[in-house]
Each structure stands twice: as C-alpha cells, then as structure tokens.
Amino acid sequence: MADHVPGPQRAAAMATLGAASGIGMVAGPGVTGLLVAHSLELPLLITAVLPALALLVLWRWLPRSEQHANPPTGPLKISDPRLRRPMAVAFCAMFSVTIAQVVVGFFALDRLQLDASAAARAAGIALAVVGVGLILAQLAVRKLGWTPQRLIRAGCALSALGFASLLLASTPWALWAGYLLGAAGMGWVFPSVMALAANAVGAHEQGATAGTVAAAHGLGMILGPLVGTLVYDLHPGAPYLLVAVLLVLVALWPARAPVSALEVRRVG
C-alpha cells in the first residue's frame, strides 16, 4: 500500500483494508454458527483452507517489486525518532482494545447483573458491534479526507467518550452503545497510525516500519489483558476509566514537526 498509494491517500486506502477486516470480524462468528450445525470440525477445516487460498491470491495478484539499488541509509532502528509517535499510538490503541475485549464478559456479569447465559450473549453482541463500528468508521475515512494526525486525535477522543460512558452503563444497550463508539474511534486510529508511520519514512524503509508498528501492536496485545484484569479487581469500571484517560492523553499529545532522515543520521 505504501509503495503504490501517495502519502495523502494512504489513510483512506489503509482504512479500506481495515474495513475488510471488520467485515471478517462480523461475518466469521455468524458463518461459524451456521457451519457447526452440520459439523463441529467444518469451521476448523475452512479456517485451515482460507490462509492457503489467501496465499494463492497473493501469489497471483500481488505486484512484484524489485530493489535495484542499495538503500541510502542503514537498517531502520526501533528507536528511530520518526517512529516514536506511531509506535506509541499503536501500542495505546491495541492496549485499549484488548482490555475492552477481555473485561466485557466480567462487566456484563458483575455490573449489569446478568446471569451467565445472558452475560455471554451481551458480551458476544458487544464484540459483534465492534466489528460493525470498525467497518462504518473506516469506510467514513475515505470520505473525510482528513490527515492521519487529525484522524488519530478525533478517533481517540471518540473512543475515550465511548469507553467512559460505560462507567454509567447499567443495561446491555448502554454496553453496546459504548462499544460501538469505542470501536468507531479505533476505526479511525488504526489505519491512521499505519499511514502516519508510512509517511514518516522513505520508500526503502516501509517493510521495516510496518514490522516495527506491528511489534508495538503485539506489545499492547500482551500487556492489555494482564493490566485490564488486574485493574478490574479494583472496580468493574476501572479498566474503562484507564482506557479513556489513556486515549485522551493520546488525543492531546501535541504534534511536532516531522523528523527528517537527515536529522536521524545526524543523531545516529
């Protein structure tokens, strides 16, 4: 995407990929529910086949690219100043999402006072609503035409509002509405982080940049469930308060002039 889409259009293009992922999040559980009526093994079989089909699609249609010259700089370092903001935002976003995913079932049991069956149903619908929110928000990115930084600010603020509203939630509908707003904000943040990182580096550094941002996502996925469950012991609403405060801080993080590759070489 970074190789074939100009910088100003990257956020919208990457949002299209995010919308496709959101569709998968919504369709996957529904299709699985239909398949298990015929066989418990059938969903697992299809899950094993789909990556092989994806590999065939990539082999057939992924554009071939060749590196004809050595890159003008050395390998991209994880401490590169140009990637500090994208990495921090990527970590905070995934950290927040995984906390919300882990505690939703407990919240439905303890705060909404639902029985086990109703709590599982409420949590499942909340996670399905997340997929819907991601799809709608990422489709909207294509129409807004905002810069990645503006989308990150607006997305974090919207998500913070959604998760903070759960402090007052007392019904499943309030739970679903809060998750819808939270997911919609994240639908703006995730593609914008990738676009922000891609726009900050040169063409020969795109692969390393994508891997670096993915590492930040992975760290958020590891720490989010751990911190979320620890904080939940304090109060059922404490994880959502933590997430809201963190996202507000990200939204208010002042922007600085982008660091050029020349400045990075000087620092190095």
Side-chain angles (χ1 to χ4, degrees):
M1 191 68 73
D3 287 341
H4 296 85
V5 178
Q9 284 82 46
R10 283 175 184 163
M14 292 179 179
T16 303
L17 296 180
S21 297
I23 293 173
M25 290 178 62
V26 175
V31 172
T32 299
L34 296 175
L35 294 176
V36 294
H38 301 281
S39 170
L40 293 177
E41 294 81 9
L42 187 57
L44 298 177
L45 177 62
I46 293 178
T47 301
V49 171
L50 284 176
L53 294 178
L55 179 61
L56 292 176
V57 171
L58 290 174
W59 176 80
R60 175 63 180 83
W61 283 288
L62 187 68
R64 270 64 173 175
S65 60
E66 298 180 2
Q67 183 70 42
H68 296 286
N70 293 326
T73 61
L76 186 70
K77 298 180 180 179
I78 197 170
S79 59
D80 194 305
R82 297 170 294 173
L83 298 182
R84 289 172 185 168
R85 179 181 292 270
M87 288 182 63
V89 176
F91 169 79
C92 292
M94 188 59 70
F95 179 82
S96 301
V97 167
T98 52
I99 286 179
Q101 290 176 334
V102 166
V103 303
V104 61
F106 302 119
F107 186 85
L109 283 169
D110 300 331
R111 179 62 181 268
L112 304 185
Q113 298 296 308
L114 301 175
D115 58 43
S117 177
R121 188 182 311 110
I125 294 175
L127 295 179
V129 165
V130 167
V132 174
L134 288 173
I135 294 170
L136 296 178
Q138 292 180 119
L139 291 177
V141 170
R142 298 184 60 86
K143 304 294 184 181
L144 292 173
W146 291 354
T147 63
Q149 186 61 55
R150 185 179 180 184
L151 285 167
I152 289 172
R153 291 187 187 280
C156 286
L158 183 61
S159 281
L161 177 63
F163 290 125
S165 71
L166 296 172
L167 297 173
L168 305 175
S170 59
T171 66
W173 285 100
L175 174 68
W176 302 333
Y179 269 72
L180 179 63
L181 286 178
M186 288 295 102
W188 288 354
V189 172
F190 281 117
S192 302
V193 168
M194 298 303 300
L196 189 68
N199 292 345
V201 300
H204 63 283
E205 299 170 307
Q206 293 297 332
T209 297
T212 302
V213 174
H217 279 150
L219 183 60
M221 292 178 66
I222 294 171
L223 296 182
L226 175 62
V227 175
T229 50
L230 291 175
V231 174
Y232 187 87
D233 286 339
L234 303 177
H235 188 275
Y240 298 113
L241 178 60
L242 171 64
V243 167
V245 170
L246 180 62
L247 293 176
V248 167
L249 292 176
V250 174
L252 297 178
W253 188 1
R256 295 181 179 179
V259 181
S260 67
L262 178 60
E263 291 173 324
V264 173
R265 289 198 295 271
R266 287 174 177 172
V267 172

